[in-house]
Amino acid sequence: MQVFYSSTRGGEKGVPSSRAILNGLAGDGGLYVPDSFPALEVSFDDLARMDYRDLAYEVMKLFLTDFTEEELRSCINHAYDSKFDVPEIAPLRKADGAYFLELFHGKTIAFKDMALSILPYLMTTAARKNKISNRICILTATSGDTGKAAMAGFADVPGTEIIVFFPKDGVSPVQKRQMVTQKGKNTHVVAITGNFDDAQTGVKKMFGDRQLAEDASAKEIQFSSANSINVGRLVPQAAYYVYAYAQLIRSGAIKAGDSINITVPTGNFGNILAAYYAKQIGLPVKKLICASNQNNVLTDFFHTGIYDRNRPFILTTSPSMDILVSSNLERLIYQSCGRDAEKTAAFMKQLRETGRYEITDKMKAELGDFVAEFSSEDEVAAAIRKVYEDEHYVIDPHTAVAASVYFRYREESGDETPTVIASTASPYKFARAVLHAIDAGKFDSMTDEEQFDALHEVSGVKIPNAIEEIRTAPVRHKTVSSVEDMQKTVREMLGI
Ligand SMILES: *Cc1c(COP(=O)(O)O)cnc(C)c1O
C-alpha cells in the first residue's frame, strides 16, 4: 500500500514520503501526516526473532513507501551500527516492575540519536530519488542537545553540511564542550551573542530569505532542517516501541498479542506520538502515559481539553522537557478532529495569537488512549533514589519524570499491565542532578570530573565514550557571531 502525506493545515496533499522528509515542514506551516495508517505485515513472533535493523525495516517500510527495499535497508544499516555501544541498539532493562527501554546508547547518549543517526541517510537518499544533486545544508538553532545530536548524525555524511547556532552563554559547560569539539569536515558551529530565541529567529529568517536560497542554489547548495517535526525523525522512533514489544516476547514477559502500556517523558510530543503511531499500525498498546515535568501544559490539556501556554516557564532538572509549545501535538489534534485541516489550522492560529485553544468534547473523547500526569522536582529526585536503592539501577532526571508518573499511576489505578518506560538519556549526561538525588551530602561538592568517576562507582556502568571524548578532545570550533551577522557567517562558511 502506498502511503502519501498531507499537511495538517490543508495546503498540501499527496506528498510522497521522500518529499515530506526533504521539506521538513509543509509550505503552509503545517505538519505532514500519513493519509492512512498501514498495518504491520509480519507476526509478533517473527518480529521477536529479528535484530534491531530487520525489525526497524519492517516498521519503517510501512510509512516510507517510495523508498526501495535496498535504499531503506542501506539507510538503516548505516545508522544502527557500531556507533551504538550495545549490539541490541535499544536494550530493555527491568527495574521496579517496569521495563526501561534504554534509548541512549548512541553518540550523544540521549534518545534523539535514535532518529538523528538515520535522518541524514534518509535525507540524502530522498534527495537522490528526487533528482536533487545539490549539497544539503542543515541549519539548526539549539538550546543544547538537539544541535549536538544532529551534528553527530550528519558528521562526514557525503553530500551534506551542517551549521549549528547555540547561545554563547546559554548552554551548560558540558553541552558547550560537546559542541565545540565536534568532529567532521562538514560540521560548523557558531556561538551567537544572544539567547536561544535569537538563534531560532535568525535561522527561521534565513529559511525565508529568497536571495540567500538563490545564491546558495547557484553554488549547488540547498537548505533543510533537522527539526523534530520531520517525518524522517518520527518514523524511526515508532520502530523502537515495536522492538521493545518484541523483546518482551523474547524474554517471556508477555505473549504475542498481550497488551502493554508505554510511558514517555514528554516535551515536544514527538517521542510519545511515535508510540501512538506504533499503536495505529497494530502494536497492542492499552495506555499511552504522557509524563511531564513542572511545565505541565500537556497534563492540563489532557485533563481539561484546554491548551494554554500562558504560564511561567520553569527551569527544571529535565531541561529537554522544559517546553511550553509542544509542536508535534498538532498531529494528534488533526487526528482527533477527524482529520479536519481547517479546524486544525484554526486551533493553531488561536495558539499563535492568544497562546490558548480549547478542543471540543467530541475531540477530547478521541484521546482516551492517553493518560497524562506530571512530576514535581522532589518526586523526580525521589524516583531516582528509589530505583537506585531498590535495584542499583541509575536513571536520569527525564526518565525519572516518567518513572515517578508511572509508579503513581500504577498505584492509583491498579493497572498492572506490563509497562515500557522510554529511558531518554544516560545518567552521565545529567550526573550532577542524579548524584544530588542519590546523596547530596556526599556528591554535591565534587567537580564535574570527580562526579563522572563517582557515578561510575555508584552505577557500575562504564563511562560512555561521549563523556570520555569531551574530557580529551581538542576544541575545533571557535566562531562567534552577533545575531545580525548570522547570515554573513553562513555565507562565509559555505563560500556563497
Ligand atoms: C528531547 C527529549 C525529551 C522529550 O522528547 P519529545 O519528543 O520532545 O517529547 C525527553 N528526554 C530527553 C533526554 C530529550 O532529549
Side-chain angles (χ1 to χ4, degrees), residues 2 16-18 21 56-58 60-77 118 121-122 125-126 128-131:
Q2 286 289 318
S17 60
S18 64
I21 289 171
Y57 172 71
E58 288 302 327
M60 290 176 62
K61 76 170 189 191
L62 302 175
F63 289 100
L64 308 183
T65 53
D66 65 328
F67 286 67
T68 65
E69 171 162 4
E70 193 188 352
E71 286 169 341
L72 194 51
R73 285 199 188 269
S74 163
C75 292
I76 290 170
N77 293 346
I118 193 164
Y121 298 101
L122 294 174
T125 307
R128 231 180 9 255
K129 297 181 75 60
N130 287 277
K131 310 246 180 319

Side-chain angles (χ1 to χ4, degrees), residues 110-112 145 265-271 320-321 323 398 424-425 430:
F111 101 95
K112 291 185 177 66
D145 282 341
T266 296
N268 219 1
F269 210 74
N271 203 5
S320 302
M321 298 161 63
I323 285 177
H398 300 78
T424 52
F430 301 94

Side-chain angles (χ1 to χ4, degrees), residues 16-54:
S17 60
S18 64
R19 267 281 154 199
I21 289 171
L22 280 172
N23 295 352
L25 203 65
D28 59 359
L31 275 52
Y32 290 111
V33 280
D35 286 339
S36 60
F37 285 103
L40 279 166
E41 290 165 0
V42 283
S43 73
F44 291 121
D45 285 320
D46 284 343
L47 288 168
R49 282 188 282 270
M50 292 182 187
D51 68 5
Y52 192 84
R53 298 182 196 194
D54 286 338

Side-chain angles (χ1 to χ4, degrees), residues 14 29 57 79 127 171 183 195 232 248 258 270 295 321 383 420 446:
Y57 172 71
V171 300
K183 293 180 192 135
N195 61 26
L248 286 171
D258 289 353
N295 294 291
M321 298 161 63
V420 169
M446 290 183 173

Side-chain angles (χ1 to χ4, degrees), residues 443-491:
F443 299 116
D444 275 4
S445 59
M446 290 183 173
T447 65
D448 289 350
E449 288 290 312
E450 289 166 343
Q451 288 208 329
F452 293 138
D453 294 324
L455 188 51
H456 172 62
E457 255 169 60
V458 164
S459 67
V461 173
K462 189 174 158 287
I463 299 182
N465 275 343
I467 297 292
E468 293 290 6
E469 260 176 23
I470 55 164
R471 286 173 139 181
T472 55
V475 172
R476 295 187 64 240
H477 305 276
K478 293 182 181 150
T479 309
V480 179
S481 166
S482 67
V483 176
E484 295 72 38
D485 284 344
M486 281 170 67
Q487 183 174 141
K488 194 166 148 242
T489 308
V490 166
R491 285 173 177 272

Side-chain angles (χ1 to χ4, degrees), residues 109-112 145-146 228 233 237 264-272 298 318 320-321 323 328 396 398-399 424-426 429-430:
I109 56 176
F111 101 95
K112 291 185 177 66
D145 282 341
T146 307
S228 87
R233 282 184 63 178
Q237 292 176 353
V264 185
T266 296
N268 219 1
F269 210 74
N271 203 5
I272 193 166
L298 286 166
S318 45
S320 302
M321 298 161 63
I323 285 177
N328 271 297
D396 101 291
H398 300 78
T399 309
T424 52
S426 158
K429 197 149 193 173
F430 301 94

